[in-house]
Amino acid sequence: MNAPADISVGAYVFIIDTSSGTYHVDRYALDGSGGTEIIGSGSLTAPTDLAASPAGLDSRSLFVANGGDEILVFGEDGSYQDSVSDGLSDDVRGVDA
């Protein structure tokens, strides 16, 4: 990791990190092994916070506060699912699952 910005734990450990001015989200096993970038800079503009669904759910997601005006929703494998921007202020800094 170069510059971790936020962490959330669900079935995995998810971390927002920056590398040379670009953002990405990495996923690790709960024991810290197997670090893999699952969301690249092409999907993120300026993420400030992330939250993972609890591990016990049948369907789990990762929520990312991105750019201050949207919440991005990804599967825990990094696949894009949806975004929420309607009704949000222009200064969204956090998200909680």
Side-chain angles (χ1 to χ4, degrees):
M1 278 182 267
N2 293 318
D6 194 33
I7 185 170
S8 182
V9 179
Y12 298 94
V13 176
F14 299 95
I15 299 174
I16 295 174
D17 193 16
T18 61
S19 175
S20 302
T22 62
Y23 298 96
H24 58 274
V25 174
D26 298 333
R27 181 184 72 195
Y28 294 84
L30 293 177
D31 67 0
S33 65
T36 303
E37 181 180 307
I38 61 165
I39 303 169
S41 61
S43 298
L44 304 171
T45 54
T48 55
D49 194 31
L50 77 163
S53 296
L57 300 177
D58 291 336
S59 177
R60 296 183 300 263
S61 299
L62 181 64
F63 304 89
V64 180
N66 187 51
D69 61 356
E70 69 178 343
I71 305 294
L72 299 175
V73 184
F74 297 92
E76 60 185 14
D77 63 351
S79 59
Y80 176 81
Q81 293 180 347
D82 204 353
S83 70
V84 178
S85 59
D86 291 346
L88 298 178
S89 75
D90 290 337
D91 197 25
V92 175
R93 298 286 174 209
V95 63
D96 195 7

